[in-house]
Amino acid sequence: MIRRRAEHNDCEIFSLEEISLHQQDIEKIEHIDRWCRDLKILYLQNNLIPRIENVGRLKKLEYLNLALNNIEVIENLEGCESLQKLDLTVNFVGRLSSVESLKHNIHLRELFLVGNPCTQFEGYRQFVVASLPQLRWLDGTEISRSERIQASQGLEEVRRQVWEQEREYLKRRAVEKEEAQRKETGREEGRKPGFDGRWYTDINNTVPGSEENKENQELDQSQRRPELDEEEREREFWHTPCSFTPESRLEAHRHLQEKRRAKEKEEEKKLKPPRRLVTADGQVLNVNEPKLGFSLTADEENNTVELDLAVYRHMDTSLIDVDVQPTYARVNVKGKIFQIVLPAEVKPDSSTARRSQTTGHLVLTMPRAEGEIKATKTTPRPRRPRSSSEDDKRKNRVPEWLDVDPSKHTSIDLANIVSRESTRSGPLETSKVGPPAATGAPSEGFVDNPEVPPLI
């Protein structure tokens, strides 16, 4: 239980500094002084603890809350050297002189004794203030300097009155314990099993097998309605006045426990049909028994499938069990099944499960199996706006002709590439181009060189 309550400290017990164990039906304090030596704050309210014990080794303990328990004596707190605040609200502390055991707790500043029998004693506050000089607050009220001086002046007389009232209270407690014990033994002895196996209260000391007893039982059974009898017994138990003692508080707790167990047995008898997770032909079904919100997304970039399950924020992680299969994922949340079919086949061995520390959500990241075809997104091409005439021609399927403007003619005229002096009929004649004809008279300034041969 301590490890489960230490979730905020990564379930580490040895370094735990604060723990809450309230409303756990604890009947004895044990082991905590050996397991949690660094504990500073300890909540144990609303349990069934009769004694303060096994906390003397908690040297660093600063705040101890034991409200709504069955404690009758203040004891075994001398070893809590750092204790600053002690809450004993609504207990059964009747020995007011046991407050003097807190003198050794020199750092004690606040003490709460509201709702205890000792608060009804005459001189209660004066005795506590004078006995504990280190105290600053008592029952939520600050202790002034003048009040402390007045309390210390008449301490001896107040102490004598407190002892007398304690003796009277202890006598009453002894009578209450005897009555509670006699009532418990009478309840066990006065109930005997009847002929039908049920228990009946033996008032007239009649033998169950006698004829008179059988007739009475048959008459009672014919007129009895079990539901009304149960309601009457329940009403009688809660409306019968009784003294407020540790025994009566234990009796009420046991009564509630019996009713809870009877209800659980009735629920077990009503067998529910098992939840179908897979059909007869092997088809996996989607199931959400815990009624949790979820989101299933496919990450195309990382090629994974991600499941975000909105698990309760303060639920212990040990109550969650995850099972990932290639085609589906199953999560057991405190005995209730959540199952979902996956959109693609995944790799169970490579999948991971994480839980958010802020929201408590459970996130499953499941990579897709190899060879899985991914859907590709195609972007549509933009369409060119069409005119009404084009649409009409397309509808009528009329062939279109391309008209060329003659003025835009830019082709090369191959016939005019070579210029000719005269035009003859027939095939074109080729003209030879030779050197220019030599003239008889040389040009001016010409000098004939005999070494250069003449041109032919």
Side-chain angles (χ1 to χ4, degrees), residues 105-125:
N105 305 99
I106 59 176
H107 298 288
L108 185 64
R109 296 293 179 267
E110 296 183 56
L111 177 63
F112 289 87
L113 292 172
V114 180
N116 287 272
C118 64
T119 58
Q120 305 299 325
F121 291 177
E122 186 178 352
Y124 148 74
R125 185 176 177 87

Side-chain angles (χ1 to χ4, degrees), residues 100-335:
E100 295 179 340
S101 64
L102 299 175
K103 286 182 178 180
H104 304 283
N105 305 99
I106 59 176
H107 298 288
L108 185 64
R109 296 293 179 267
E110 296 183 56
L111 177 63
F112 289 87
L113 292 172
V114 180
N116 287 272
C118 64
T119 58
Q120 305 299 325
F121 291 177
E122 186 178 352
Y124 148 74
R125 185 176 177 87
Q126 184 179 357
F127 177 79
V128 176
V129 171
S131 300
L132 303 176
Q134 75 274 24
L135 208 61
R136 295 289 177 267
W137 296 79
L138 177 60
D139 297 336
T141 305
E142 188 175 4
I143 301 172
S144 61
R145 184 177 179 182
S146 59
E147 183 183 5
R148 191 179 301 280
I149 294 172
Q150 292 177 1
S152 59
Q153 289 176 352
L155 178 60
E156 296 300 328
E157 180 65 22
V158 171
R159 182 181 282 114
R160 185 180 57 80
Q161 294 178 1
V162 167
W163 286 348
E164 292 178 358
Q165 295 175 81
E166 272 188 12
R167 283 194 294 268
E168 295 178 1
Y169 172 77
L170 292 177
K171 290 178 182 179
R172 291 197 306 268
R173 278 294 296 140
V175 174
E176 290 173 355
K177 288 180 181 180
E178 290 178 1
E179 289 181 357
Q181 188 175 3
R182 186 168 55 251
K183 185 178 179 181
E184 186 68 23
T185 54
R187 185 184 294 109
E188 294 297 329
E189 293 177 357
R191 300 175 67 207
K192 298 179 181 179
F195 68 96
D196 57 350
R198 298 179 63 183
W199 289 83
Y200 299 96
T201 304
D202 187 7
I203 299 175
N204 300 321
N205 294 326
T206 56
V207 181
S210 63
E211 294 181 0
E212 183 182 355
N213 190 28
K214 286 183 179 179
E215 291 177 0
N216 293 335
Q217 287 177 355
E218 289 176 0
L219 181 63
D220 292 338
Q221 233 177 359
S222 62
Q223 297 177 354
R224 178 174 303 186
R225 300 176 66 180
E227 295 180 359
L228 293 178
D229 289 349
E230 184 66 27
E231 291 179 3
E232 289 177 2
R233 286 195 294 270
E234 188 73 14
R235 192 182 301 109
E236 181 183 358
F237 178 82
W238 292 112
H239 288 81
T240 302
C242 64
S243 57
F244 183 61
T245 60
E247 291 78 18
S248 63
R249 193 164 182 265
L250 283 173
E251 185 181 1
H253 174 72
R254 293 194 185 103
H255 179 75
L256 293 174
Q257 265 190 341
E258 289 178 1
K259 287 189 67 64
R260 194 181 304 118
R261 289 172 184 170
K263 187 176 180 180
E264 290 176 357
K265 288 181 179 179
E266 290 180 0
E267 292 179 355
E268 289 177 359
K269 290 179 180 178
K270 299 176 182 178
L271 296 176
K272 295 183 179 179
R275 173 73 69 176
R276 284 200 315 164
L277 302 177
V278 182
T279 59
D281 56 353
Q283 182 182 0
V284 181
L285 301 177
N286 291 327
V287 180
N288 191 359
E289 286 185 345
K291 298 180 181 179
L292 299 174
F294 68 94
S295 64
L296 185 65
T297 57
D299 189 353
E300 300 295 342
E301 296 181 359
N302 300 322
N303 196 23
T304 58
V305 178
E306 186 172 300
L307 173 63
D308 187 350
L309 188 61
V311 180
Y312 311 113
R313 179 178 179 182
H314 299 289
M315 176 178 285
D316 191 3
T317 308
S318 62
L319 301 175
I320 303 174
D321 187 18
V322 181
D323 180 19
V324 178
Q325 298 295 331
T327 56
Y328 67 91
R330 182 183 300 168
V331 182
N332 189 332
V333 182
K334 204 176 180 180

